[in-house]
């Protein structure tokens, strides 16, 4: 079982970004540290830390779906996941082209997202966890393509 260090403190930066006002971390002994460290994620003591001033969009949930699953439902897990995907994009942008490394890092990132949603407080409904997890497993491949802003 994992845990977060605190709640989110972030400033809204229109139109769709949030900037963390303090660090956020997630600790879980089941994190696949090796797969994540290969793409540049620092995992210390089974903990992933997102630094203050990190820019996130929370969860990339289409607005039409917000009645069912809103970005704030899974926000802390999504911020951790955003950092992990950013590291995969940076690895690829820096010339990392090992498909096995990328695939394992994406799976490990998605698994962290899944575990973090399960460990969220207040609890996230099981069906929301499943929907969000399977959405990133299926559609997340486009989010690990390098982009200018990284």
């Amino acid at each position: 079982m994992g845990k977060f260090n605190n709640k989110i403190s972030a400033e809204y930066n229109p139109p769709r970004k949030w900037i963390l006002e303090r660090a956020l971390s997630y600790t879980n002994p089941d994190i696949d540290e090796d797969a994540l460290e290969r793409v540049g994620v620092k995992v210390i003591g089974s903990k992933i830390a997102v630094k203050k001033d990190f820019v996130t969009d929370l969860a990339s949930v289409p607005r039409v779906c917000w009645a069912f699953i809103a970005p704030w439902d899974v926000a802390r897990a999504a911020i951790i996941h955003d950092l992990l995907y950013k590291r995969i994009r940076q690895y690829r942008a820096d010339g990392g082209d090992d498909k096995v490394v990328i695939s394992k890092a994406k799976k490990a990132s998605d698994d962290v997202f899944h575990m973090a949603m399960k460990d969220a407080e207040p609890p996230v409904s099981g069906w929301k966890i499943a929907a969000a997890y399977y959405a990133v497993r299926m559609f997340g491949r486009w989010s690990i393509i390098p982009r200018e802003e990284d």
Side-chain angles (χ1 to χ4, degrees):
M1 181 150 176
K3 67 177 187 171
F4 290 93
N5 67 326
N6 58 35
K7 295 186 179 192
I8 298 169
S9 178
E11 181 179 333
Y12 181 59
N13 188 17
R16 289 184 289 265
K17 301 292 180 188
W18 295 84
I19 301 171
L20 291 185
E21 294 176 332
R22 67 175 175 218
L24 177 70
S25 68
Y26 176 69
T27 305
N28 190 312
D30 296 328
I31 292 172
D32 184 349
E33 296 179 27
D34 183 56
L36 295 173
E37 288 175 346
R38 288 177 173 262
V39 295
V41 177
K42 291 180 183 161
V43 183
I44 301 168
S46 300
K47 178 169 81 172
I48 298 168
V50 182
K51 293 181 179 176
K52 178 183 182 237
D53 296 325
F54 182 76
V55 178
T56 180
D57 66 353
L58 298 180
S60 304
V61 178
R63 186 148 180 110
V64 70
C65 298
W66 282 17
F68 305 106
I69 182 168
W72 45 86
D73 289 339
V74 297
R76 285 191 292 176
I79 291 169
I80 302 295
H81 191 250
D82 282 355
L83 172 71
L84 302 179
Y85 269 25
K86 181 176 183 175
R87 292 292 176 259
I88 296 171
R89 289 193 302 272
Q90 289 172 330
Y91 167 81
R92 295 179 74 187
D94 291 342
D97 62 354
D98 187 324
K99 292 185 185 338
V100 173
V101 168
I102 294 165
S103 176
K104 286 182 178 183
K106 182 187 178 307
K107 170 123 178 39
S109 299
D110 296 346
D111 289 348
V112 167
F113 181 53
H114 191 243
M115 291 184 288
M117 287 187 291
K118 287 178 161 182
D119 294 329
E121 192 59 48
V124 178
S125 300
W127 69 268
K128 287 183 182 184
I129 291 171
Y133 174 73
Y134 289 111
V136 298
R137 291 297 299 148
M138 288 175 45
F139 303 112
R141 65 178 163 255
W142 291 286
S143 295
I144 60 170
I145 297 171
R147 48 188 178 210
E148 288 262 333
E149 65 208 47
D150 290 332

Short mmCIF file of all heavy atoms in Angstrom, two decimals, residues 6 23 46 50 63 66-67 79 100 110 116 143 150:
data_model
loop_
_atom_site.label_atom_id
_atom_site.label_comp_id
_atom_site.label_asym_id
_atom_site.label_seq_id
_atom_site.Cartn_x
_atom_site.Cartn_y
_atom_site.Cartn_z
N ASN A 6 1.16 14.73 0.88
CA ASN A 6 0.21 15.78 1.26
C ASN A 6 -0.82 15.97 0.16
O ASN A 6 -0.82 15.26 -0.84
CB ASN A 6 0.94 17.09 1.58
CG ASN A 6 1.79 17.60 0.44
OD1 ASN A 6 1.44 17.46 -0.73
ND2 ASN A 6 2.93 18.20 0.76
N ALA A 23 5.91 20.71 -3.35
CA ALA A 23 6.21 19.39 -3.89
C ALA A 23 5.11 18.39 -3.52
O ALA A 23 4.41 18.55 -2.52
CB ALA A 23 7.55 18.92 -3.36
N SER A 46 11.57 3.97 -2.82
CA SER A 46 10.23 3.67 -3.35
C SER A 46 9.36 4.92 -3.45
O SER A 46 8.14 4.84 -3.45
CB SER A 46 9.51 2.60 -2.52
OG SER A 46 10.25 1.40 -2.53
N VAL A 50 7.51 14.96 -7.15
CA VAL A 50 7.28 15.99 -8.15
C VAL A 50 7.61 17.31 -7.48
O VAL A 50 7.04 17.64 -6.43
CB VAL A 50 5.81 15.99 -8.65
CG1 VAL A 50 5.60 17.04 -9.72
CG2 VAL A 50 5.43 14.60 -9.16
N ARG A 63 -13.57 17.03 -21.64
CA ARG A 63 -14.58 17.75 -20.86
C ARG A 63 -15.96 17.07 -20.91
O ARG A 63 -16.69 17.09 -19.92
CB ARG A 63 -14.68 19.19 -21.34
CG ARG A 63 -15.61 20.00 -20.47
CD ARG A 63 -15.17 21.45 -20.40
NE ARG A 63 -16.07 22.19 -19.57
CZ ARG A 63 -15.76 22.67 -18.38
NH1 ARG A 63 -14.56 22.48 -17.91
NH2 ARG A 63 -16.62 23.33 -17.67
N TRP A 66 -16.51 14.76 -18.00
CA TRP A 66 -16.36 15.24 -16.63
C TRP A 66 -17.54 14.89 -15.72
O TRP A 66 -17.37 14.83 -14.51
CB TRP A 66 -16.14 16.75 -16.62
CG TRP A 66 -14.74 17.14 -16.96
CD1 TRP A 66 -13.79 16.38 -17.58
CD2 TRP A 66 -14.14 18.41 -16.73
NE1 TRP A 66 -12.64 17.10 -17.74
CE2 TRP A 66 -12.83 18.35 -17.24
CE3 TRP A 66 -14.59 19.59 -16.16
CZ2 TRP A 66 -11.96 19.43 -17.17
CZ3 TRP A 66 -13.72 20.66 -16.10
CH2 TRP A 66 -12.41 20.58 -16.59
N ALA A 67 -18.71 14.67 -16.27
CA ALA A 67 -19.85 14.29 -15.44
C ALA A 67 -19.61 12.92 -14.80
O ALA A 67 -20.15 12.62 -13.74
CB ALA A 67 -21.13 14.26 -16.27
N ILE A 79 -0.89 13.78 -11.44
CA ILE A 79 0.31 14.62 -11.39
C ILE A 79 1.57 13.75 -11.37
O ILE A 79 2.54 14.01 -12.10
CB ILE A 79 0.27 15.58 -10.19
CG1 ILE A 79 -0.83 16.62 -10.39
CG2 ILE A 79 1.63 16.25 -9.98
CD1 ILE A 79 -1.15 17.45 -9.15
N VAL A 100 11.99 -1.52 -25.90
CA VAL A 100 11.71 -2.31 -24.70
C VAL A 100 11.76 -1.42 -23.47
O VAL A 100 10.88 -1.49 -22.60
CB VAL A 100 12.69 -3.50 -24.57
CG1 VAL A 100 12.52 -4.21 -23.24
CG2 VAL A 100 12.51 -4.47 -25.73
N ASP A 110 2.07 3.65 -15.91
CA ASP A 110 0.62 3.39 -15.84
C ASP A 110 0.27 2.61 -14.57
O ASP A 110 -0.77 2.86 -13.95
CB ASP A 110 0.14 2.66 -17.09
CG ASP A 110 0.30 3.49 -18.36
OD1 ASP A 110 0.54 4.72 -18.26
OD2 ASP A 110 0.22 2.91 -19.46
N ALA A 116 -1.60 4.55 -7.33
CA ALA A 116 -1.81 5.84 -6.66
C ALA A 116 -3.30 6.18 -6.57
O ALA A 116 -3.76 6.72 -5.56
CB ALA A 116 -1.04 6.94 -7.38
N SER A 143 0.89 10.31 -25.65
CA SER A 143 1.39 11.26 -24.64
C SER A 143 2.87 11.06 -24.31
O SER A 143 3.43 11.86 -23.58
CB SER A 143 0.57 11.14 -23.35
OG SER A 143 -0.75 11.52 -23.60
N ASP A 150 8.63 20.27 -23.49
CA ASP A 150 9.41 19.51 -22.52
C ASP A 150 10.87 19.93 -22.63
O ASP A 150 11.70 19.55 -21.91
CB ASP A 150 9.26 18.00 -22.76
CG ASP A 150 7.86 17.51 -22.39
OD1 ASP A 150 7.22 18.11 -21.53
OD2 ASP A 150 7.43 16.53 -23.01
#
